[in-house]
Amino acid sequence: MQYVVLRKKSEDADLFTDKVETDSETTPLTFRQYQELMAYLEKKNKPAILPVQIACFTGLRLGEVCGLAWQDINLDEQYLTVRRSVRYNGARHKMEIGSTKRKKVRTVDFGDTLTRILRKAKKEQHRQRLQCGQLYYLNYYKEVTEKNRVYYELYHLDGTAELPKDYTEISLVCLRPDGAYEPQARWVLSVGR
């Protein structure tokens, strides 16, 4: 065992202490900050409201929120399954669906407030789809292999476009009113302004 090296030092946790240690870099939003953010987004970037609400009520990363599909959400039992993340690959200049940061699938519970928000969003998306008709965008991913690596590129096409055979539809939760996926980079940058 002399050559075995412990890669990560395990941290001892005091399970019965009242003292709470917090990460100094991460501070959760207060309810007042949340309300101010919602008011700001209501004026400046309405499609960003749902992703921010999901992130606030579940603690998901922004890319994970953008990667949520309706089949990942169980509104009756109030939980969602995080399977994928959406990100912009600057080297390839493409939006991609990939694994989560820790490359693990996990389940996250949520409460009544987010359940009401998600039910309302789902109903609104259905209404918008009927209203836009063929001009409503549907979202797809395509598997691409480059240099022995597999990528899943994200696209949206309206109902008038001819669907390529290698596209697979994905029913994303965070959409713009026209049905196109809401790219995280766009709303993250607009929130910071």
Side-chain angles (χ1 to χ4, degrees), residues 43-59:
K43 292 178 192 172
K44 298 287 186 178
N45 192 357
K46 276 191 173 188
I49 291 175
L50 180 61
V52 170
Q53 287 174 323
I54 294 170
C56 286
F57 285 105
T58 62

PDB file of all heavy atoms in Angstrom, residues 43-59:
ATOM      1  N   LYS A  43     -39.625  43.046 -17.486  1.00  0.00           N
ATOM      2  CA  LYS A  43     -39.471  44.190 -18.386  1.00  0.00           C
ATOM      3  C   LYS A  43     -38.474  43.923 -19.504  1.00  0.00           C
ATOM      4  O   LYS A  43     -38.676  44.340 -20.636  1.00  0.00           O
ATOM      5  CB  LYS A  43     -38.974  45.407 -17.599  1.00  0.00           C
ATOM      6  CG  LYS A  43     -39.962  45.961 -16.612  1.00  0.00           C
ATOM      7  CD  LYS A  43     -39.355  47.128 -15.853  1.00  0.00           C
ATOM      8  CE  LYS A  43     -40.205  47.520 -14.667  1.00  0.00           C
ATOM      9  NZ  LYS A  43     -39.549  48.515 -13.831  1.00  0.00           N
ATOM     10  N   LYS A  44     -37.366  43.249 -19.190  1.00  0.00           N
ATOM     11  CA  LYS A  44     -36.248  43.155 -20.127  1.00  0.00           C
ATOM     12  C   LYS A  44     -36.157  41.862 -20.926  1.00  0.00           C
ATOM     13  O   LYS A  44     -35.675  41.872 -22.052  1.00  0.00           O
ATOM     14  CB  LYS A  44     -34.916  43.332 -19.377  1.00  0.00           C
ATOM     15  CG  LYS A  44     -34.755  44.669 -18.701  1.00  0.00           C
ATOM     16  CD  LYS A  44     -34.510  45.744 -19.711  1.00  0.00           C
ATOM     17  CE  LYS A  44     -34.199  47.061 -19.009  1.00  0.00           C
ATOM     18  NZ  LYS A  44     -33.913  48.108 -19.952  1.00  0.00           N
ATOM     19  N   ASN A  45     -36.555  40.730 -20.340  1.00  0.00           N
ATOM     20  CA  ASN A  45     -36.330  39.453 -21.017  1.00  0.00           C
ATOM     21  C   ASN A  45     -37.289  38.387 -20.492  1.00  0.00           C
ATOM     22  O   ASN A  45     -36.898  37.494 -19.745  1.00  0.00           O
ATOM     23  CB  ASN A  45     -34.873  39.020 -20.808  1.00  0.00           C
ATOM     24  CG  ASN A  45     -34.482  37.863 -21.701  1.00  0.00           C
ATOM     25  OD1 ASN A  45     -35.298  37.332 -22.446  1.00  0.00           O
ATOM     26  ND2 ASN A  45     -33.232  37.469 -21.625  1.00  0.00           N
ATOM     27  N   LYS A  46     -38.543  38.467 -20.908  1.00  0.00           N
ATOM     28  CA  LYS A  46     -39.575  37.549 -20.389  1.00  0.00           C
ATOM     29  C   LYS A  46     -39.251  36.069 -20.572  1.00  0.00           C
ATOM     30  O   LYS A  46     -39.519  35.280 -19.676  1.00  0.00           O
ATOM     31  CB  LYS A  46     -40.933  37.860 -21.017  1.00  0.00           C
ATOM     32  CG  LYS A  46     -41.665  38.954 -20.328  1.00  0.00           C
ATOM     33  CD  LYS A  46     -43.085  39.019 -20.837  1.00  0.00           C
ATOM     34  CE  LYS A  46     -43.857  40.013 -19.997  1.00  0.00           C
ATOM     35  NZ  LYS A  46     -45.268  39.987 -20.308  1.00  0.00           N
ATOM     36  N   PRO A  47     -38.680  35.632 -21.707  1.00  0.00           N
ATOM     37  CA  PRO A  47     -38.389  34.203 -21.840  1.00  0.00           C
ATOM     38  C   PRO A  47     -37.395  33.677 -20.796  1.00  0.00           C
ATOM     39  O   PRO A  47     -37.338  32.482 -20.554  1.00  0.00           O
ATOM     40  CB  PRO A  47     -37.809  34.080 -23.252  1.00  0.00           C
ATOM     41  CG  PRO A  47     -38.383  35.236 -23.992  1.00  0.00           C
ATOM     42  CD  PRO A  47     -38.464  36.346 -22.978  1.00  0.00           C
ATOM     43  N   ALA A  48     -36.643  34.551 -20.159  1.00  0.00           N
ATOM     44  CA  ALA A  48     -35.670  34.124 -19.149  1.00  0.00           C
ATOM     45  C   ALA A  48     -36.312  33.865 -17.793  1.00  0.00           C
ATOM     46  O   ALA A  48     -35.681  33.288 -16.912  1.00  0.00           O
ATOM     47  CB  ALA A  48     -34.576  35.182 -19.002  1.00  0.00           C
ATOM     48  N   ILE A  49     -37.562  34.258 -17.617  1.00  0.00           N
ATOM     49  CA  ILE A  49     -38.215  34.115 -16.311  1.00  0.00           C
ATOM     50  C   ILE A  49     -38.324  32.655 -15.898  1.00  0.00           C
ATOM     51  O   ILE A  49     -37.940  32.279 -14.791  1.00  0.00           O
ATOM     52  CB  ILE A  49     -39.594  34.804 -16.303  1.00  0.00           C
ATOM     53  CG1 ILE A  49     -39.415  36.328 -16.373  1.00  0.00           C
ATOM     54  CG2 ILE A  49     -40.392  34.422 -15.059  1.00  0.00           C
ATOM     55  CD1 ILE A  49     -40.709  37.105 -16.502  1.00  0.00           C
ATOM     56  N   LEU A  50     -38.851  31.798 -16.766  1.00  0.00           N
ATOM     57  CA  LEU A  50     -39.035  30.392 -16.398  1.00  0.00           C
ATOM     58  C   LEU A  50     -37.707  29.714 -16.047  1.00  0.00           C
ATOM     59  O   LEU A  50     -37.622  29.057 -15.006  1.00  0.00           O
ATOM     60  CB  LEU A  50     -39.767  29.625 -17.505  1.00  0.00           C
ATOM     61  CG  LEU A  50     -40.016  28.140 -17.219  1.00  0.00           C
ATOM     62  CD1 LEU A  50     -40.880  27.961 -15.968  1.00  0.00           C
ATOM     63  CD2 LEU A  50     -40.664  27.475 -18.420  1.00  0.00           C
ATOM     64  N   PRO A  51     -36.645  29.858 -16.855  1.00  0.00           N
ATOM     65  CA  PRO A  51     -35.379  29.221 -16.472  1.00  0.00           C
ATOM     66  C   PRO A  51     -34.838  29.709 -15.128  1.00  0.00           C
ATOM     67  O   PRO A  51     -34.342  28.916 -14.330  1.00  0.00           O
ATOM     68  CB  PRO A  51     -34.415  29.586 -17.604  1.00  0.00           C
ATOM     69  CG  PRO A  51     -35.274  29.949 -18.745  1.00  0.00           C
ATOM     70  CD  PRO A  51     -36.557  30.458 -18.187  1.00  0.00           C
ATOM     71  N   VAL A  52     -34.969  30.997 -14.862  1.00  0.00           N
ATOM     72  CA  VAL A  52     -34.487  31.537 -13.591  1.00  0.00           C
ATOM     73  C   VAL A  52     -35.335  31.009 -12.440  1.00  0.00           C
ATOM     74  O   VAL A  52     -34.807  30.663 -11.376  1.00  0.00           O
ATOM     75  CB  VAL A  52     -34.460  33.090 -13.624  1.00  0.00           C
ATOM     76  CG1 VAL A  52     -34.194  33.662 -12.252  1.00  0.00           C
ATOM     77  CG2 VAL A  52     -33.403  33.573 -14.617  1.00  0.00           C
ATOM     78  N   GLN A  53     -36.644  30.923 -12.636  1.00  0.00           N
ATOM     79  CA  GLN A  53     -37.504  30.374 -11.584  1.00  0.00           C
ATOM     80  C   GLN A  53     -37.150  28.919 -11.275  1.00  0.00           C
ATOM     81  O   GLN A  53     -37.040  28.532 -10.116  1.00  0.00           O
ATOM     82  CB  GLN A  53     -38.987  30.473 -11.998  1.00  0.00           C
ATOM     83  CG  GLN A  53     -39.530  31.869 -11.954  1.00  0.00           C
ATOM     84  CD  GLN A  53     -40.940  31.953 -12.515  1.00  0.00           C
ATOM     85  OE1 GLN A  53     -41.286  31.275 -13.484  1.00  0.00           O
ATOM     86  NE2 GLN A  53     -41.753  32.787 -11.899  1.00  0.00           N
ATOM     87  N   ILE A  54     -36.940  28.127 -12.304  1.00  0.00           N
ATOM     88  CA  ILE A  54     -36.571  26.731 -12.091  1.00  0.00           C
ATOM     89  C   ILE A  54     -35.247  26.652 -11.343  1.00  0.00           C
ATOM     90  O   ILE A  54     -35.104  25.884 -10.383  1.00  0.00           O
ATOM     91  CB  ILE A  54     -36.501  25.964 -13.426  1.00  0.00           C
ATOM     92  CG1 ILE A  54     -37.891  25.870 -14.061  1.00  0.00           C
ATOM     93  CG2 ILE A  54     -35.920  24.563 -13.214  1.00  0.00           C
ATOM     94  CD1 ILE A  54     -37.889  25.346 -15.488  1.00  0.00           C
ATOM     95  N   ALA A  55     -34.274  27.455 -11.762  1.00  0.00           N
ATOM     96  CA  ALA A  55     -32.969  27.451 -11.097  1.00  0.00           C
ATOM     97  C   ALA A  55     -33.096  27.868  -9.634  1.00  0.00           C
ATOM     98  O   ALA A  55     -32.490  27.255  -8.751  1.00  0.00           O
ATOM     99  CB  ALA A  55     -32.001  28.377 -11.832  1.00  0.00           C
ATOM    100  N   CYS A  56     -33.900  28.871  -9.352  1.00  0.00           N
ATOM    101  CA  CYS A  56     -34.057  29.353  -7.979  1.00  0.00           C
ATOM    102  C   CYS A  56     -34.758  28.333  -7.088  1.00  0.00           C
ATOM    103  O   CYS A  56     -34.383  28.168  -5.934  1.00  0.00           O
ATOM    104  CB  CYS A  56     -34.831  30.673  -7.956  1.00  0.00           C
ATOM    105  SG  CYS A  56     -33.857  32.076  -8.512  1.00  0.00           S
ATOM    106  N   PHE A  57     -35.751  27.643  -7.606  1.00  0.00           N
ATOM    107  CA  PHE A  57     -36.524  26.715  -6.777  1.00  0.00           C
ATOM    108  C   PHE A  57     -35.917  25.312  -6.686  1.00  0.00           C
ATOM    109  O   PHE A  57     -36.337  24.515  -5.856  1.00  0.00           O
ATOM    110  CB  PHE A  57     -37.966  26.616  -7.275  1.00  0.00           C
ATOM    111  CG  PHE A  57     -38.795  27.818  -6.919  1.00  0.00           C
ATOM    112  CD1 PHE A  57     -39.120  28.758  -7.874  1.00  0.00           C
ATOM    113  CD2 PHE A  57     -39.240  28.012  -5.622  1.00  0.00           C
ATOM    114  CE1 PHE A  57     -39.881  29.874  -7.551  1.00  0.00           C
ATOM    115  CE2 PHE A  57     -40.006  29.124  -5.292  1.00  0.00           C
ATOM    116  CZ  PHE A  57     -40.318  30.057  -6.249  1.00  0.00           C
ATOM    117  N   THR A  58     -34.932  25.004  -7.551  1.00  0.00           N
ATOM    118  CA  THR A  58     -34.346  23.661  -7.527  1.00  0.00           C
ATOM    119  C   THR A  58     -32.847  23.642  -7.257  1.00  0.00           C
ATOM    120  O   THR A  58     -32.311  22.608  -6.890  1.00  0.00           O
ATOM    121  CB  THR A  58     -34.578  22.935  -8.867  1.00  0.00           C
ATOM    122  OG1 THR A  58     -33.932  23.679  -9.915  1.00  0.00           O
ATOM    123  CG2 THR A  58     -36.050  22.748  -9.151  1.00  0.00           C
ATOM    124  N   GLY A  59     -32.171  24.763  -7.509  1.00  0.00           N
ATOM    125  CA  GLY A  59     -30.720  24.795  -7.337  1.00  0.00           C
ATOM    126  C   GLY A  59     -29.964  24.234  -8.527  1.00  0.00           C
ATOM    127  O   GLY A  59     -28.757  23.999  -8.438  1.00  0.00           O
TER     128      GLY A  59
END
